Amino acid sequence: QKEVEQDPGPLSVPEGAIVSLNCTYSNSAFQYFMWYRQYSRKGPELLMYTYSSGNKEDGRFTAQVDKSSKYISLFIRDSQPSDSATYLCAMIGQGAQKLVFGQGTRLTINP
Amino acid sequence: ETGVTQTPRHLVMGMTNKKSLKCEQHLGHNAMYWYKQSAKKPLELMFVYSLEERVENNSVPSRFSPECPNSSHLFLHLHTLQPEDSALYLCASSQLTSGSNEQFFGPGTRLTVL
């Protein structure tokens, strides 16, 4: 079993839709959870991170962590064509050095 | 320059060539990383340097040789590569005392081995 599972997609939705991206994980030691956005031919860009369970909101983006279910989500409201990218989840335990990444979900927002 | 920079952005090399990838971070971080990103696979951690000491080597073949001369610079020396080594090579940096170890990535070097 992979430590982090993420559906690679591709996921295609119309502009303005609410997008839900998800990852599951197996290691209960993970405490920090991150979402990276990667545009084509670019490096990943840190979008959001959360510590332990709960929600975090930043503009149109909301990150949710449910540690009891070992499940994290990223919601994008009022999606825009500029949101088209690959979204990678990543997580790490307290004091650890190695981030563990999901495979990434390729998202396309259609005008 | 800001953030993490990588050169060259694209590299094509033959199997017998020797080349080097360069990474520089302008964030004052104390850890640097090399990752390999292949199509349809998760990011693969190759090497970690913490305070200029190599702390992790994820069973990477010896044809990849990292070098970290100081906390701001990281190199990946390449020799006698195989076509399956073609991938996007990403450098990242972080501040290990931040707790969350948020990593900041460079734009990557797209490597093609012929």
Side-chain angles (χ1 to χ4, degrees):
Chain A
Q1 182 187 9
K2 294 179 186 176
E3 272 194 294
V4 178
E5 298 271 5
Q6 184 178 10
D7 186 341
L11 179 63
S12 182
V13 301
E15 183 175 357
I18 296 174
V19 176
S20 172
L21 303 168
N22 312 293
C23 289
T24 60
Y25 63 96
S26 58
N27 188 343
S28 57
F30 290 145
Q31 293 201 34
Y32 294 92
F33 304 89
M34 299 166 204
W35 286 95
Y36 284 84
R37 177 176 60 195
Q38 186 174 19
Y39 290 115
S40 181
R41 305 183 188 281
K42 297 286 180 71
E45 167 196 12
L46 181 64
L47 196 58
M48 296 185 73
Y49 87 91
T50 53
Y51 172 70
S52 194
S53 286
N55 293 1
K56 186 173 184 178
E57 187 173 322
D58 183 1
R60 296 184 295 109
F61 298 88
T62 300
Q64 273 187 2
V65 175
D66 182 349
K67 289 192 73 179
S68 62
S69 303
K70 296 190 177 68
Y71 187 87
I72 70 170
S73 301
L74 178 70
F75 297 96
I76 308 174
R77 292 185 301 280
D78 187 25
S79 55
Q80 306 294 312
S82 58
D83 295 327
S84 298
T86 296
Y87 290 80
L88 303 107
C89 64
M91 44 202 80
I92 192 169
Q94 178 77 36
Q97 294 175 338
K98 184 178 175 181
L99 266 180
V100 183
F101 284 86
Q103 187 176 335
T105 300
R106 186 175 171 187
L107 172 67
T108 300
I109 309 297
N110 300 304
Chain B
E1 289 281 11
T2 59
V4 181
T5 58
Q6 290 186 243
T7 56
R9 294 294 307 277
H10 302 272
L11 179 62
V12 179
M13 58 188 289
M15 292 168 63
T16 58
N17 292 158
K18 288 185 180 180
K19 296 286 184 183
S20 295
L21 311 184
K22 179 183 176 182
C23 175
E24 185 172 358
Q25 60 98 359
H26 309 268
L27 300 169
H29 288 163
N30 57 13
M32 296 187 77
Y33 311 77
W34 280 117
Y35 286 89
K36 176 182 178 182
Q37 188 175 37
S38 305
K40 301 184 180 180
K41 292 175 73 174
L43 278 167
E44 298 173 55
L45 179 64
M46 300 175 73
F47 300 104
V48 180
Y49 276 83
S50 171
L51 299 172
E52 302 156 43
E53 295 287 326
R54 191 192 308 180
V55 296
E56 183 147 352
N57 173 351
N58 263 7
S59 303
V60 179
S62 59
R63 55 186 184 268
F64 295 91
S65 174
E67 179 190 359
C68 186
N70 56 59
S71 60
S72 300
H73 293 86
L74 186 65
F75 295 89
L76 188 62
H77 304 298
L78 316 171
H79 65 97
T80 58
L81 294 192
Q82 306 298 310
E84 60 265 29
D85 297 321
S86 298
L88 181 67
Y89 288 85
L90 291 160
C91 172
S93 71
S94 73
Q95 184 61 25
L96 288 176
T97 53
S98 73
S100 62
N101 195 15
E102 301 156 63
Q103 294 181 18
F104 294 83
F105 286 82
T109 295
R110 174 70 61 184
L111 173 67
T112 303
V113 181
L114 301 175

